[in-house]
Amino acid sequence: IDGRRFVAQGLSDDGQGGLVLVGNSVGSGATDVVATAWHSQDGRGWSRATVNAANGQEMIGGVAALPGKIVAGGNGVGWFSTDGSIWKPVAMPAAQAFIPREVGSWSGGFVIVSLASGTPTTRSAVWYSRTGLDWTQSSTILDGFDARAIAGGPNRVMVVGSDTSAT
């Protein structure tokens, strides 16, 4: 992309028969990272989406969709789109110290599992939203857990990962 490297971080259906791909456009410096998304109606032709800036936060933690709503996770921010072509940042309370690892959807909405950054021990936290716009942090903190995959069913979410605790 214009002399930059694209690092894909998530792929999902768009909830309307198409596909959406999210990730980072990386420039020459360590801090030169730009949130980037692509949208396709058929998986063959792809269009670069418009991603409105979120204070320099990159889209890194995956993507999930429900009809008319697509969510991706970024550093300290969620991203929301209704069509996969235009994205806007949405606030996630107390998420600034966490890096999104997985994003999922289920019949109740969306979930983002994030890993604490800058801490000596592995620690994950969960945010959830019915709409993809208003996020709540779960009271449960997952000490010693690093999420690797997420799936949603009719009334529940399953997250699998690595147990990094000493025991």
Side-chain angles (χ1 to χ4, degrees):
I1 307 170
D2 302 325
R4 300 169 64 86
R5 221 170 13 107
F6 177 69
V7 180
Q9 297 294 337
L11 175 68
S12 176
D13 68 277
D14 67 0
Q16 302 173 65
L19 296 169
V20 64
L21 176 67
V22 298
N24 306 315
S25 171
V26 182
S28 58
T31 60
D32 185 9
V33 180
V34 178
T36 307
W38 296 84
H39 186 248
S40 176
Q41 294 297 324
D42 59 10
R44 291 187 185 108
W46 291 84
S47 300
R48 189 168 177 183
T50 301
V51 180
N52 295 323
N55 299 323
Q57 301 300 326
E58 69 272 14
M59 196 180 292
I60 64 167
V63 61
L66 292 171
K69 301 173 189 175
I70 311 167
V71 168
N75 286 358
V77 67
W79 294 88
F80 181 82
S81 177
T82 57
D83 61 5
S85 296
I86 299 174
W87 292 82
K88 69 177 186 173
V90 293
M92 292 181 62
Q96 291 72 23
F98 289 87
I99 300 168
R101 298 293 279 176
E102 295 295 332
V103 179
S105 62
W106 86 106
S107 60
F110 297 94
V111 63
I112 296 177
V113 180
S114 297
L115 185 64
S117 62
T119 61
T121 58
T122 302
R123 188 170 204 209
S124 294
V126 178
W127 283 261
Y128 58 92
S129 173
R130 289 201 175 280
T131 65
L133 294 169
D134 302 312
W135 291 89
T136 302
Q137 184 178 4
S138 171
S139 60
T140 302
I141 296 294
L142 307 169
D143 285 325
F145 182 75
D146 185 3
R148 296 295 177 177
I150 193 169
N155 295 308
R156 60 183 49 114
V157 175
M158 173 67 79
V159 180
V160 296
S162 298
D163 178 357
T164 63
S165 64
T167 60

